[in-house]
Amino acid sequence: MSVQRTISPRENGYVPLDQYIALGDGRSVALSATDGSIDWWCAPNMDSPPLFDRVLSADKGGFFSLTPREAFTIERDYLPDSNVACTTFTTASGSVRLTESLNSGNAGRLPWSELARRLEGVEGEVGFDLVFKPGTRADTASPWIQDTQHGKVFHIATLMVMLRTSPEVEITEYTDRLVRARFTVGAGRRVTLALLASEDEPFAVPTLEQIDARIDLSDGAWRDWTKTLDFTGAYATEVRRSALALKLLLYSPSGAIAAAATSSLPEKIGSDRNYDYRYAWVRDAAYTIKALLRVGALQEAKAAFAWLIGVIRKHGPRMHVCYTLDGDRVDDVQEIPLSGYMDSRPVVIGNSAYDQLQLSLYGDILETASLFVAKGHLLDEGTAQLLHSLADQCADEWQTPDAGIWELPEQRHYTISKIGCWVALDRASKLADAGQIPDGKAQRWARERDRIRDWIDEHCWSERKQSYTMYANTDRLDASVLLAARFGFERVDRVILTREAVARELSRGPLIFRYTGAEGKEGCFLACSFWLVEAYALLGQREQGQHILEALLKRITPSHGVMAEMLDPDSNLPLGNFPQGLSHLTLIHAALACNGE
């Protein structure tokens, strides 16, 4: 259903994050605002330097805007079961429909990036202004124009970019740093504009007619993909939209799954909790693979699982927390001299989590393998040997303090890390019993699994709170412990009490903070809210889970079903990087649980 909005002027050059819609082509993601401006696009890849970065710098950032010259309202949504977006601008003089796509080709992803924007007159006529401002990579690259026999080409460091426009578009300014144009769209008329981008390789120049036709081709490809999903229960529309969002984050050249498509969008406006999520986290990838498997997206799940196994093997024997989309190590954090979204600094590239110890990763990868096998698929010998080695490492290391699932600086005995180790050894022993991995250590893994369970009961249970706690010997709570419900942790009675404690102490309506002490420092974490839904549905109170889920779905409707990392519980505005894969995969798991699956 289209969302209707009255458009207000930008506040200090920025728009709320719920006014963006995400476009993608299996390689990169662009964010298009309700006022017709594309403010974020890393081309050609999700982790490339941004061509457009206005979302992080209102004054310096690059953008590509198509804006009516008079006051307007909009109706906006994705086309049904597609990642092609449609916006209808309505002014006093007429209305125009804008269709936007990061295009694909007949055989899948194009070997170049193609951002296409088609305007079609519906009633009357509407005048538009076009502005194309290429980014400067935070003043480290100076765009320059090359005149060629096929048109002008921008060079930004190693990136080549060409602006293509219909003949009706009147260019009024064309410099290295800025293009301006004017045009009018009347009823029954069509104007197409596009950006072509390619990096460090020969540059293809398709015709504008070919580009325009690929908008419909791309829409059809998205709809055909969505038809392959096999979930048809309650909340099917929301599940399909979340699966489409996860598909945006699948980096098709390698099979990696990015945690999110952006960097440095703040967890609280004005705070310094700003991170680069354009990398593949083992945890997020494993959770995503499980969600894709459960809704029937086998090709994507298999590609991501194969990539995950390959990159762990390449950089082993110890798993790292995250990797680049090409499967390399993630660089250390580097601050970029931009003002940040709503003046929230720092703006960064890189992520310091790469070398952290997170023991729950063992459970993530073994659980993924277990579900892969349970769905009727097979492990190869190399993968089986790797999983055997990881189970052995887990059996030796589970007593070590780590950084936990939230990547905190304090090394502690985090409860969810111990539960993750319990999962790892439980799944390893069962895979061995089923003949899927070598069984020489199965009995040892089972004994260590039981030791972990008993250790958690002794050290991570609070009689005063009647709850499992965030870490050993504290009364602080942690919503991630709700995952024990999905993992089938044996102490069901205590998991139920923990669920009630989290709902009682960490909730703001249907929204949940990550842990005790997070309130005031960040928004509510959407994944935690969906984990609570799942914990109710899986542990005997499905109607309560459905009630919370429906309240959450109302909260995310203004964002067209595309979610960031967090929501501000007071303003309901999104916070954190966007689109966030963890939010979408947890919605899928929650919806499945509410359907009794």
Side-chain angles (χ1 to χ4, degrees):
M1 181 178 64
S2 295
V3 177
Q4 298 183 1
R5 291 181 183 269
T6 301
I7 305 303
S8 302
R10 288 178 173 240
E11 181 182 345
N12 299 321
Y14 297 98
V15 299
L17 293 181
D18 66 351
Q19 293 196 19
Y20 286 107
I21 204 165
L23 314 171
D25 61 357
R27 186 175 177 181
S28 61
V29 172
L31 300 185
S32 175
T34 49
D35 62 2
S37 179
I38 293 178
D39 290 347
W40 179 260
W41 186 29
C42 294
N45 304 319
M46 268 184 281
D47 55 357
S48 298
L51 171 62
F52 301 136
D53 52 359
R54 191 185 194 185
V55 72
L56 295 178
S57 178
D59 53 347
K60 290 185 176 182
F63 63 94
F64 175 28
S65 64
L66 303 173
T67 309
R69 287 198 293 271
E70 54 185 309
F72 61 93
T73 60
I74 69 161
E75 291 187 17
R76 187 180 219 201
D77 209 343
Y78 286 106
L79 295 178
D81 289 337
S82 175
N83 279 324
V84 174
C86 184
T87 304
T88 299
F89 297 99
T90 300
T91 72
S93 61
S95 62
V96 171
R97 181 169 55 249
L98 169 65
T99 306
E100 301 178 279
S101 170
L102 269 174
N103 280 343
S104 54
N106 295 89
R109 180 179 54 84
L110 291 168
W112 62 84
S113 296
E114 188 172 284
L115 176 59
R117 312 183 80 184
R118 174 202 292 160
L119 296 119
E120 299 170 282
V122 179
E123 294 180 352
E125 63 178 28
V126 179
F128 281 83
D129 290 324
L130 177 156
V131 180
F132 167 57
K133 180 183 178 184
T136 64
R137 300 187 174 184
D139 294 335
T140 63
S142 185
W144 60 278
I145 295 175
Q146 176 188 11
D147 287 307
T148 77
Q149 59 184 335
H150 301 295
K152 298 179 184 294
V153 176
F154 285 84
H155 293 260
I156 305 104
T158 56
L159 187 70
M160 296 174 67
V161 180
M162 177 181 282
L163 173 65
R164 307 296 306 278
T165 64
S166 294
E168 299 90 337
V169 176
E170 176 191 357
I171 304 294
T172 59
E173 181 179 352
Y174 212 125
T175 71
D176 294 326
R177 295 295 184 92
L178 192 67
V179 177
R180 295 186 185 274
R182 297 165 58 90
F183 58 94
T184 299
V185 185
R189 305 288 294 177
R190 174 183 292 190
V191 173
T192 303
L193 309 100
L195 287 174
L196 306 171
S198 186
E199 185 166 39
D200 215 17
E201 60 187 22
F203 194 83
V205 187
T207 67
L208 200 59
E209 291 75 19
Q210 291 170 327
I211 295 169
D212 184 88
R214 275 194 286 268
I215 297 175
D216 299 319
L217 178 69
S218 302
D219 176 49
W222 285 117
R223 287 186 284 108
D224 287 344
W225 180 80
T226 308
K227 289 176 185 176
T228 68
L229 304 178
D230 62 11
F231 179 76
T232 57
Y235 316 109
T237 298
E238 292 80 6
V239 167
R240 289 197 300 272
R241 174 50 53 201
S242 281
L244 282 160
L246 294 177
K247 179 75 166 167
L248 286 177
L249 298 174
L250 180 74
Y251 181 64
S252 60
S254 69
I257 299 172
T262 56
S263 174
S264 306
L265 294 179
E267 296 177 355
K268 182 181 179 182
I269 302 301
S271 79
D272 61 357
R273 292 190 174 197
N274 312 322
Y275 306 103
D276 190 350
Y277 280 1
R278 299 171 302 151
Y279 306 109
W281 265 253
V282 170
R283 175 187 63 245
D284 296 46
Y287 290 175
T288 301
I289 292 165
K290 288 185 283 187
L292 293 173
L293 280 171
R294 295 185 73 191
V295 296
L298 177 59
Q299 295 179 51
E300 290 73 21
K302 191 275 177 185
F305 188 34
W307 177 85
L308 193 56
I309 292 295
V311 78
I312 291 170
R313 184 183 292 124
K314 174 183 175 181
H315 294 279
R318 178 181 298 280
M319 281 189 290
H320 293 276
V321 171
C322 55
Y323 303 90
T324 71
L325 302 182
D326 287 326
D328 295 323
R329 70 161 291 133
V330 175
D331 290 336
D332 292 335
V333 174
Q334 177 184 347
E335 187 169 345
I336 305 299
L338 295 175
S339 57
Y341 178 75
M342 294 283 191
D343 294 322
S344 303
R345 288 182 290 273
V347 173
V348 299
I349 57 173
N351 198 293
S352 60
Y354 175 78
D355 278 325
Q356 282 187 345
L357 176 64
Q358 292 185 23
L359 294 174
S360 61
L361 299 184
Y362 290 117
D364 298 334
I365 193 68
L366 267 298
E367 166 78 349
T368 301
S370 181
L371 181 59
F372 186 78
V373 168
K375 287 291 184 179
H377 313 300
L378 301 172
L379 301 178
D380 63 285
E381 185 176 349
T383 297
Q385 290 290 346
L386 176 64
L387 296 174
H388 183 283
S389 297
L390 293 176
D392 257 1
Q393 288 180 29
C394 179
D396 286 332
E397 293 185 350
W398 70 265
Q399 299 173 85
T400 308
D402 74 335
I405 193 173
W406 303 126
E407 300 171 359
L408 299 174
E410 301 86 3
Q411 298 285 303
R412 300 186 189 275
H413 291 288
Y414 290 101
T415 305
I416 190 59
S417 298
K418 308 307 182 189
I419 291 174
C421 291
W422 179 91
V423 172
L425 297 180
D426 179 74
R427 303 316 189 254
S429 62
K430 291 175 180 176
L431 285 169
D433 290 343
Q436 292 288 335
I437 66 175
D439 64 358
K441 300 287 185 68
Q443 291 183 357
R444 182 213 177 189
W445 299 333
R447 289 194 300 271
E448 290 296 330
R449 174 198 61 198
D450 294 344
R451 289 191 183 100
I452 296 170
R453 176 201 61 207
D454 295 342
W455 193 95
I456 292 170
D457 270 355
E458 181 179 354
H459 298 280
C460 302
W461 175 258
S462 169
E463 283 293 332
R464 189 171 76 86
K465 293 287 185 177
Q466 286 293 289
S467 175
Y468 285 123
T469 58
M470 185 177 185
Y471 49 84
N473 303 316
T474 184
D475 277 343
R476 296 179 68 188
L477 301 184
D478 178 359
S480 71
V481 178
L482 295 170
L483 281 166
R486 182 196 304 170
F487 294 151
F489 190 65
E490 292 178 65
R491 301 296 196 239
V492 175
D493 54 339
R494 288 190 167 189
V495 175
I496 290 173
L497 290 170
T498 301
R499 180 190 68 190
E500 299 308 310
V502 167
R504 184 172 60 249
E505 297 198 19
L506 299 183
S507 65
R508 289 283 296 275
L511 300 174
I512 302 292
F513 288 103
R514 288 192 293 172
Y515 48 77
T516 304
E519 185 172 1
K521 298 178 181 178
E522 61 186 39
C524 290
F525 204 78
L526 280 167
C528 295
S529 303
F530 291 120
W531 287 336
L532 181 63
V533 170
E534 194 177 17
Y536 274 112
L538 292 177
L539 299 177
Q541 291 189 255
R542 192 186 303 174
E543 288 187 3
Q544 177 65 6
Q546 292 169 340
H547 174 74
I548 299 171
L549 178 57
E550 287 161 11
L552 287 169
L553 295 178
K554 290 178 182 178
R555 292 274 195 149
I556 64 176
T557 295
S559 299
H560 313 284
V562 181
M563 292 178 282
E565 184 180 26
M566 301 180 179
L567 280 181
D568 184 300
D570 299 316
S571 68
N572 204 50
L573 291 176
L575 295 167
N577 285 305
F578 174 86
Q580 180 82 11
L582 190 60
S583 299
H584 286 282
L585 69 91
T586 51
L587 181 151
I588 291 173
H589 288 302
L592 287 166
C594 286
N595 277 274
E597 298 183 33

